[in-house]
Amino acid sequence: MKTETGRSALASPEPDEEPGKRRNPILRSLGEMPGLIVLSLVLAILIKTFLVQAFYIPSGSMEDTLRINDRVLVSKVPYYFHDPQRGDIIVFEDPTPGKQPARSTIGAAVHWLFQGIGFQKPDSEDFIKRVIGTPGDTVEGKNGKVYVNGVKIDEPYVKGTTSDFAKLTVPDGMYFVLGDNRQASQDSRFGLGVHALPSRPEIGFIPRDDIIGKAWVIVWPTSHWAGL
């Protein structure tokens, strides 16, 4: 037989927490905020490192396709499955970067983090150009046009004419690149990249490992929005 005290205990269970000790939901949210911020930063860095990265266009070397101050998205995914193709607009790291500034271990980690989320510029400049010659191709500039493997290529995107340059063969693992604005572009014709041909020291090539990704859309300003 249950006593009166027992019945009272069953009917009125004590709360797990006294009302005065319950955590304020605002304080609970604030306590979770640092973890959410860290998670967001990690996701942003992973997306930028492996999937998509935004780039700013600083010069007119790719006009009229890309204009100064345009922002483009560069996808890294396509080149996980195949190599760059002729006609691709690519972003690549400076193949011959200058001396990197000395940093402590902590300073280097902070710089890497801030660069990864876009708050700090990279130490080396990035470039955006169009692939014209792939490994093994012969490329030549003649009579204002570009010939690849002896065939004149169709280039409706070109602004101006292409200065003549003698026939050359693109080395293995390298790419020959030009800007669309042919009379205002510092590109492979003028030594941008690695000087891989001793007989042609004025010519530069872009190593495959320095290619960041393929530009695929202009996202800013909205009036310039277009696929590439």
Side-chain angles (χ1 to χ4, degrees), residues 15 24 27 59 74 92 102 113 118 123-124 126 149 157 166 197 201 204 216:
N24 188 301
L27 294 178
S59 75
V74 174
F92 53 93
L113 176 62
D123 293 328
S124 300
D126 294 327
N149 300 324
Y157 44 76
L197 295 179
W216 63 284

Side-chain angles (χ1 to χ4, degrees), residues 125-186:
E125 187 177 3
D126 294 327
F127 296 89
I128 184 164
K129 303 292 179 186
R130 191 181 295 272
V131 174
I132 299 298
T134 59
D137 283 344
T138 60
V139 185
E140 179 182 12
K142 183 172 60 176
N143 299 324
K145 302 295 182 181
V146 176
Y147 291 75
V148 177
N149 300 324
V151 178
K152 182 175 69 174
I153 61 174
D154 183 30
E155 296 187 288
Y157 44 76
V158 166
K159 179 179 180 179
T161 58
T162 306
S163 57
D164 291 356
F165 56 91
K167 184 184 295 185
L168 56 89
T169 300
V170 182
D172 288 343
M174 302 283 181
Y175 293 82
F176 183 90
V177 299
L178 297 176
D180 287 356
N181 188 359
R182 293 292 159 82
Q183 296 176 341
S185 175
Q186 179 71 21

Side-chain angles (χ1 to χ4, degrees), residues 29-165:
S29 298
L30 290 176
E32 295 171 353
M33 192 65 68
L36 293 175
I37 292 174
V38 171
L39 178 61
S40 298
L41 291 176
V42 170
L43 287 175
I45 291 173
L46 288 175
I47 289 171
K48 179 180 177 181
T49 302
F50 298 107
L51 299 177
V52 177
Q53 188 171 349
F55 283 88
Y56 160 79
I57 305 302
S59 75
S61 70
M62 285 295 292
E63 290 179 347
D64 288 324
T65 306
L66 299 171
R67 304 174 191 176
I68 297 173
N69 296 327
D70 280 354
R71 270 72 168 179
V72 299
L73 289 184
V74 174
S75 175
K76 304 182 180 185
V77 176
Y79 298 154
Y80 293 150
F81 302 100
H82 61 78
D83 289 327
Q85 307 294 309
R86 186 180 308 119
D88 287 359
I89 298 176
I90 61 170
V91 170
F92 53 93
E93 299 173 353
D94 186 349
T96 56
K99 185 178 179 181
Q100 304 299 305
R103 293 190 179 94
S104 65
T105 302
I106 295 177
V110 171
H111 176 75
W112 176 83
L113 176 62
F114 279 25
Q115 179 183 324
I117 59 178
F119 288 167
Q120 198 164 8
K121 291 184 177 180
D123 293 328
S124 300
E125 187 177 3
D126 294 327
F127 296 89
I128 184 164
K129 303 292 179 186
R130 191 181 295 272
V131 174
I132 299 298
T134 59
D137 283 344
T138 60
V139 185
E140 179 182 12
K142 183 172 60 176
N143 299 324
K145 302 295 182 181
V146 176
Y147 291 75
V148 177
N149 300 324
V151 178
K152 182 175 69 174
I153 61 174
D154 183 30
E155 296 187 288
Y157 44 76
V158 166
K159 179 179 180 179
T161 58
T162 306
S163 57
D164 291 356
F165 56 91

